[in-house]
Amino acid sequence: MIKIKNLHAEIEGNKILNGVNLEINAGEIHAIMGPNGSGKSTLASVLAGREEYEVTRGEVELMGENLLDLEPNERAAAGVFLAFQYPVEIPGVSNMNFLKTALKSIKEFKGEKPYTAKEFLQMVKKNQELVGLSGRLANRSVNEGFSGGEKKRNEIFQMAMLDPKFAILDETDSGLDIDALKTVADGVNQLKSPEKSFLLITHYQRLLDYIVPDFVHVLHKGQIVKTGPKELALELEEKGYDWLKEDGVEA
Amino acid sequence: MSMENTEKKDKFLAGLMKNPTADTVGNQQQLREEAYKAIHSLNFPTLKDERWKYTRVAGILKKDFEHKPGDVPESLTGFEIPDYKSDVLVFVNGIFNNELSHVEKQNGIHVLTLAQGKVEHYDVIDKWMGTIADHHSHIFTAMNTAFHKSGVLIYAEKKAIAQHPVHIIDITNGEGVTHAPRNLFVAEDDAGLKITHSFHGDAGENFINGVNEVYLGRHAEVEYQMIQQNGKKSNHIHSTDVYQSEGSTFTSGAFTVGGKLIRNEINVSVNGENCETRLNGSFMGGDKHHFDNHTIIDHLVPLCNSHENYKGILGGKATGVFNGKVFVRKDAQKINAFQSNQNILLSDDAVINSKPELEIYADDVKCSHGSTTGQLDEEALFYLMSRGMKKTDAINLLVNAFTAETLEYVSAEALSNYISALIEKRSDELNNQYA
């Protein structure tokens, strides 16, 4: 599904990613853990196409296509989805209008027929239920006045609507109470399929109790320093990240 | 004024004075003569004038403008507002076109050209014209008063509420054209009027110098929406001068999506308690456009609300000006005045001069004013694009959302949709000036 090879990226001259190598096959769920400042969110941003980050070396292939050449909207059309750590509030833009336009663009990009109004509404209804997002919120401006949990639910709702092939969840668990966390995890688990891949970025092991990863990677100083099965997450929870501090740098 | 400037002014005025119009009924001719005298004692504003600090009109004076007829369109396609049932009055280069116009008769509502009005309702005209707009100290108002040839009178008798709006369509085409629309809108006690005024033009350089006078009687309601789709070389100075009596509501909108040099002035004198005054607008410029909105709300008496919201979006090397002044006079207690101007600059070379001002001489008032200027929200843009929206669509969506508040008081949905669509179209044009 996705192949990340020797990826280096920087922002304003600060090197953040220093050669990330990662391959995720279709149907797999990978988790990236690591201390603050290790480059987790940068990796998510670079994959989604955030402009501020400059890729200085390396490549990323999504199903054989060079992802780094694509604009963020083209990446979305190719099947990449990023659930934001901090979803943006956009006053005056209705959630529905935005999703309708986004879906239309994606369909257009793929040369497919747009959904009919009826199909769209059916999808909205189904996916709202999936993530427990009330219709009242769906009709408001994008994320405006939403609580932290509502914003995260809205991210998963959008993910369900856009039906991506490769979804990155950037600290989706942060700021969620246990009920919201379960709902979000349920949503992800129901969307899971042999054709889809997920990359979970998280600081804590907690999310991985509900979404079970196939592999866990530890990111440190912009590199993957350890990879293991799901049990690695538990080990990290126990040991923390102190063992990474071999050179005395605050982790 | 230097000798050179005097010569320039005389030469400029000579163009405007060709084939002058004279009035024979009532005291209208006297008004023209007063204004004519005022012109000679007044100077054209320069950047040294506080009120014109950011807007240079010298460029207009360099050019020769004349009143001359233009090409009359075959139909109103492209000028009419879809699904908007209204009376329509069409002017081409300031000349009324009867064929394209239509007015439905309504009890107590009189919609006429100013020329007709001066005959059929000269009492109304004599009573109000020249009493609200200031032709003594404002040179452009004086020029309009002295040289205007046409315009509209809309007169609502006591308790007459218009069942549908009036749409004035002002089309300007050809090179070197000038005209000076002069409109008088009178809503007597408990009357109601809705007026939409749209400007359209071709690529020719022109100079439009308009004046509206608006009188609102007690508990009257007037909504005036101006839509400027002027051509890219259009110079347009327009003053809307308003008098509000007790309990009246005046709503205006100024939506500028065309023109080269635009100066909109709105001066509202609130002289009765329990009035509402709402001034809104959006201006969207690119290239080297210069769009200036100058407003004054003068709260002379207590217990009134005013609400002002202007939004600017500027790309290219465009300049925007917002100068809104709210006066709260001594003893005008319990005034709520809200004033806001927000701007988005799409390019590094676009400039905004924003000056919201409050002058308060009463002590029990609630007034707020604010101004913000920034770039398009990059984070929001990325968010929208990451969901699959094309950059242009995402920018249009953000621009529309940004300007949406200024459409809040456009009462007719068809009109609001029409303006939204113009804003979106303009946003598309400005997209390529986004840096």
Side-chain angles (χ1 to χ4, degrees):
Chain A
M1 172 70 65
I2 191 145
K3 283 185 193 156
I4 301 169
K5 288 182 211 157
N6 193 28
L7 187 65
H8 288 69
E10 55 183 61
I11 184 163
E12 290 166 350
N14 295 320
K15 295 191 170 91
I16 314 276
L17 298 183
N18 297 302
V20 174
N21 290 292
L22 179 64
E23 188 167 344
I24 304 176
N25 295 312
E28 290 178 353
I29 297 180
H30 290 228
I32 288 196
M33 300 181 73
N36 289 328
S38 58
K40 300 190 300 285
S41 284
T42 298
L43 179 63
S45 294
V46 167
L47 293 177
R50 201 186 277 274
E51 259 178 23
E52 302 93 281
Y53 294 93
E54 196 193 338
V55 173
T56 49
R57 271 168 80 185
E59 50 195 85
V60 181
E61 269 181 25
L62 180 78
M63 292 177 292
E65 196 177 358
N66 181 356
L67 193 70
L68 299 177
D69 278 352
L70 303 178
E71 292 288 322
N73 57 312
E74 295 169 338
R75 296 183 194 203
V80 176
F81 181 89
L82 170 65
F84 279 53
Q85 182 179 3
Y86 304 107
V88 185
E89 295 195 17
I90 314 180
V93 173
S94 93
N95 243 335
M96 285 302 111
N97 191 8
F98 148 57
L99 268 178
K100 215 181 282 174
T101 319
L103 274 169
K104 206 177 128 221
S105 302
I106 289 179
K107 285 284 190 182
E108 198 181 288
F109 195 84
K110 291 181 179 169
E112 291 171 13
K113 238 180 28 208
Y115 292 113
T116 64
K118 200 179 158 193
E119 285 168 337
F120 177 76
L121 287 174
Q122 280 169 347
M123 284 168 65
V124 167
K125 194 160 178 285
K126 190 184 100 195
N127 292 320
Q128 270 173 1
E129 283 166 13
L130 181 76
V131 299
L133 188 73
S134 78
R136 181 180 57 81
L137 291 179
N139 287 314
R140 287 233 301 261
S141 288
V142 178
N143 293 322
E144 194 187 20
F146 285 30
S147 70
E150 285 165 347
K151 282 181 185 166
K152 296 297 172 79
R153 278 175 211 253
N154 197 21
E155 294 294 289
I156 305 301
F157 167 66
Q158 290 176 22
M159 181 171 84
M161 289 295 289
L162 298 178
D163 194 28
K165 295 200 172 62
F166 173 54
I168 310 155
L169 276 65
D170 188 6
E171 309 239 358
T172 297
D173 50 334
S174 67
L176 288 190
D177 62 32
I178 203 74
D179 288 336
L181 186 69
K182 277 186 194 160
T183 320
V184 165
D186 279 352
V188 173
N189 287 327
Q190 288 186 53
L191 294 170
K192 197 182 147 185
S193 83
E195 294 84 43
K196 285 191 174 69
S197 310
F198 289 88
L199 181 60
L200 310 176
I201 288 173
T202 180
H203 190 74
Y204 303 103
Q205 182 268 341
R206 191 175 69 144
L207 177 71
L208 307 181
D209 287 341
Y210 302 97
I211 308 173
V212 181
D214 298 298
F215 297 96
V216 175
H217 311 275
V218 181
L219 194 68
H220 179 55
K221 292 186 178 173
Q223 281 183 323
I224 289 176
V225 293
K226 197 173 167 93
T227 293
K230 61 175 188 284
E231 289 76 18
L232 176 59
L234 289 168
E235 202 185 316
L236 289 171
E237 180 81 355
E238 231 168 80
K239 283 168 54 185
Y241 295 108
D242 284 352
W243 55 277
L244 290 168
K245 280 202 278 184
E246 71 265 281
D247 58 0
V249 173
E250 184 65 27
Chain B
M1 188 181 268
S2 71
M3 189 59 92
E4 192 198 347
N5 277 344
T6 312
E7 271 170 32
K8 238 192 244 168
K9 181 172 142 188
D10 288 346
K11 186 167 165 285
F12 184 73
L13 291 175
L16 306 189
M17 284 162 64
K18 280 183 193 161
N19 313 311
T21 305
D23 287 310
T24 51
V25 182
N27 55 20
Q28 289 307 299
Q29 187 55 27
Q30 194 193 324
L31 194 66
R32 284 187 192 271
E33 282 161 18
E34 262 176 43
Y36 188 68
K37 263 189 218 153
I39 294 170
H40 286 278
S41 65
L42 294 168
N43 294 332
F44 276 109
T46 66
L47 300 186
K48 285 178 197 143
D49 293 88
E50 187 58 31
R51 287 163 38 86
W52 292 86
K53 199 172 165 187
Y54 304 108
T55 300
R56 270 175 74 86
V57 292
I60 302 174
L61 291 181
K62 281 188 205 142
K63 180 96 185 170
D64 296 320
F65 292 105
E66 271 183 57
H67 288 277
K68 49 192 173 192
D71 295 332
V72 176
E74 276 174 30
S75 76
L76 285 182
T77 312
F79 302 104
E80 264 178 329
I81 296 164
D83 306 316
Y84 185 60
K85 184 186 176 330
S86 64
D87 290 340
V88 174
L89 296 172
V90 180
F91 294 82
V92 179
N93 290 5
I95 300 163
F96 179 63
N97 186 286
N98 197 32
E99 284 76 49
L100 293 170
S101 303
H102 57 84
V103 173
E104 200 176 293
K105 204 168 162 34
Q106 293 184 67
N107 275 342
I109 306 285
H110 308 275
V111 179
L112 325 101
T113 64
L114 192 69
Q116 276 175 297
K118 280 180 177 176
V119 178
E120 290 175 34
H121 294 282
Y122 67 89
D123 50 337
V124 177
I125 300 222
D126 273 353
K127 187 168 175 191
W128 298 116
M129 213 168 116
T131 66
I132 306 170
D134 175 5
H135 59 271
H136 298 287
S137 54
H138 292 183
I139 190 163
F140 289 105
T141 299
M143 280 161 53
N144 174 288
T145 307
F147 306 131
H148 71 269
K149 288 174 181 292
S150 60
V152 174
L153 169 67
I154 304 176
Y155 170 51
E157 295 174 17
K158 274 185 187 173
K159 293 188 179 167
I161 293 171
Q163 294 307 300
H164 53 262
V166 180
H167 182 191
I168 305 168
I169 298 177
D170 254 306
I171 301 166
T172 311
N173 56 40
E175 190 56 39
V177 174
T178 186
H179 58 97
R182 178 68 178 231
N183 305 307
L184 176 62
F185 310 133
V186 175
E188 296 278 16
D189 295 354
D190 303 298
L193 286 174
K194 287 178 185 176
I195 300 148
T196 294
H197 195 174
S198 63
F199 289 85
H200 312 259
D202 67 358
E205 184 157 18
N206 60 48
F207 170 46
I208 304 165
N209 178 25
V211 173
N212 303 323
E213 284 178 288
V214 188
Y215 169 79
L216 293 94
R218 295 168 60 217
H219 305 286
E221 287 189 22
V222 173
E223 176 183 337
Y224 175 73
Q225 306 290 354
M226 186 193 254
I227 306 167
Q228 291 168 309
Q229 306 176 61
N230 302 43
K232 62 182 180 192
K233 286 190 186 168
S234 179
N235 303 288
H236 184 183
I237 294 176
H238 212 108
S239 185
T240 299
D241 299 272
V242 184
Y243 181 94
Q244 286 191 256
S245 315
E246 186 191 331
S248 63
T249 301
F250 176 70
T251 305
S252 86
F255 301 96
T256 308
V257 294
K260 182 179 99 187
L261 186 152
I262 301 274
R263 160 87 166 199
N264 294 322
E265 289 195 21
I266 303 183
N267 304 302
V268 186
S269 185
V270 189
N271 206 3
E273 293 183 356
N274 298 309
C275 285
E276 288 276 335
T277 309
R278 306 157 180 161
L279 311 182
N280 296 289
S282 286
F283 47 100
M284 301 174 71
D287 300 321
K288 288 185 176 176
H289 303 148
H290 183 102
F291 296 166
D292 176 354
N293 281 288
H294 231 81
T295 66
I296 294 174
I297 299 175
D298 194 355
H299 286 292
L300 297 155
V301 297
L303 293 165
C304 292
N305 297 327
S306 64
H307 172 103
E308 190 168 3
N309 197 355
Y310 276 79
K311 305 248 188 175
I313 294 173
L314 301 166
K317 294 183 175 174
T319 309
V321 181
F322 172 80
N323 190 175
K325 200 162 194 173
V326 175
F327 289 103
V328 180
R329 301 292 176 179
K330 191 168 173 286
D331 303 327
Q333 305 294 1
K334 310 269 182 210
I335 297 290
N336 276 312
F338 166 83
Q339 192 188 44
S340 165
N341 168 234
Q342 292 178 298
N343 307 289
I344 289 179
L345 303 181
L346 297 175
S347 69
D348 292 341
D349 293 328
V351 175
I352 180 84
N353 299 293
S354 178
K355 207 172 153 196
E357 292 178 273
L358 286 170
E359 262 187 46
I360 303 173
Y361 302 98
D363 50 20
D364 183 15
V365 298
K366 218 170 115 186
C367 297
S368 67
H369 67 164
S371 165
T372 61
T373 296
Q375 271 95 42
L376 209 57
D377 183 347
E378 291 287 342
E379 187 63 16
L381 193 59
F382 175 63
Y383 190 72
L384 295 175
M385 285 179 74
S386 79
R387 299 301 182 246
M389 285 184 82
K390 282 182 279 188
K391 193 169 196 171
T392 50
D393 289 344
I395 293 175
N396 289 349
L397 201 63
L398 291 176
V399 164
N400 244 321
F402 177 69
T403 53
E405 273 176 7
T406 66
L407 293 165
E408 202 177 323
Y409 293 107
V410 176
S411 62
E413 200 185 340
L415 182 59
S416 176
N417 291 342
Y418 177 74
I419 298 169
S420 281
L422 288 177
I423 287 173
E424 191 163 328
K425 187 169 155 247
R426 182 64 159 185
S427 173
D428 254 340
E429 290 162 13
L430 293 182
N431 257 331
N432 58 20
Q433 299 184 17
Y434 175 65

